Amino acid sequence: MDKPVIGVIGVGLMGHGIARNIATKGWRLNYLRHAGNRPTGDLDAAGARGWSTAAEMAAASDVVLLCVTGTPQVEDVLTGSGGVLAAIRPGTVIVDCSTAIPESTVALAARVEAAGGRFLDAAMTRTPKEAEEGRLNLLIGGHDDTVADVMPLLEAFSENRFHAGPPGAGHRLKLLHNFVSLGMVTLLSEAAACARKAGIPETVLVDCLRRGGGHGAALDRVAPFLLEGRTDQMQFTIDNSLKDLTYYGSMAAEVGAIDTIARAARQTLSDLSESGSGDVFLPRLAEVLVKG
């Protein structure tokens, strides 16, 4: 595409970095004004235009990028109160960077195509830090021609891109990724809680894991909290983690896969959410489990 106009819905923890990279790398940017946005002064200074409604913004954009919480929000933006599907022009591309239920993604992609548009799911991994740096990983589902057309835009805010298959495949890959990532963090946190009750110092536990089979990205995100009380490596809540593992369970059931370990991790997170800890960042999970 030759520098299409980009509209972003969801300028929050992850979406702000995406929007800033788009605006500062030569694209004309529209964004939806919303109470959940991070401060947008830098976007405005880069020439971006804020809109009051999603439908009006979509009608003025060639590509509409969604960065919202999950399937209910995506469905509402496209076919509910947001009215985006009814507002798009022929050829408009919808890029869904959210984490969503693949069955819904496939159905929404078909509706977008029936309305004359095109659809990509481009789920994200990594953190708000990498979003601001333009170094996200994107897990992509879409038809080859659409992926090729939108690739220059995706490259503007990502470092690695994995085209997993047709629409819905990106969200399937994201759920697989998050099951492994969040499952490992949950496992490590349970071990850390047990270690604390058993009198093993966190410094010794982390050092042992780092030099052995427990080393990896999950430990790198949990260790700063265990050692220094920091949660900046993983600003992702227990409720969001529960949402993703619930979506994974739905996908596993859809394809007939075993999800015994996923159910156990999901139950741990569900119990903590029901006890009032849903808004706690996941690195604090060991602390919450000790108290529990």
Side-chain angles (χ1 to χ4, degrees), residues 2-41:
D2 184 22
K3 295 297 185 185
V5 179
I6 314 301
V8 177
I9 297 174
V11 187
L13 275 175
M14 300 295 282
H16 179 271
I18 291 173
R20 189 179 62 80
N21 276 282
I22 291 171
T24 57
K25 292 178 181 177
W27 277 268
R28 287 175 290 166
L29 178 70
N30 294 322
Y31 68 90
L32 178 66
R33 294 193 184 96
H34 190 274
N37 287 352
R38 300 192 83 177
T40 56

Side-chain angles (χ1 to χ4, degrees), residues 7-133:
V8 177
I9 297 174
V11 187
L13 275 175
M14 300 295 282
H16 179 271
I18 291 173
R20 189 179 62 80
N21 276 282
I22 291 171
T24 57
K25 292 178 181 177
W27 277 268
R28 287 175 290 166
L29 178 70
N30 294 322
Y31 68 90
L32 178 66
R33 294 193 184 96
H34 190 274
N37 287 352
R38 300 192 83 177
T40 56
D42 55 343
L43 304 182
D44 298 333
R49 178 180 178 183
W51 295 76
S52 298
T53 73
E56 290 176 326
M57 190 208 74
S61 303
D62 301 305
V63 178
V64 178
L65 190 149
L66 311 181
C67 190
V68 295
T69 303
T71 291
Q73 293 76 24
V74 174
E75 292 177 346
D76 184 57
V77 165
L78 291 180
T79 63
S81 65
V84 166
L85 187 60
I88 64 173
R89 295 174 281 113
T92 298
V93 181
I94 304 294
V95 179
D96 181 12
C97 291
S98 310
T99 299
I101 299 172
E103 287 179 282
S104 172
T105 301
V106 171
L108 288 173
R111 293 187 64 175
V112 169
E113 291 170 6
R118 296 189 287 169
F119 186 95
L120 284 183
D121 41 304
M124 307 168 289
T125 70
R126 293 186 168 172
T127 72
K129 177 178 181 292
E130 284 86 17
E132 293 291 339
E133 294 169 350

Side-chain angles (χ1 to χ4, degrees), residues 22 28 31 45 50 59-60 66 126-127 145 212 215 229 232 241 250-251 263 278:
I22 291 171
R28 287 175 290 166
Y31 68 90
L66 311 181
R126 293 186 168 172
T127 72
D145 57 342
H215 181 64
D232 54 296
S241 304
S250 297
M251 182 181 76
R263 285 201 308 272

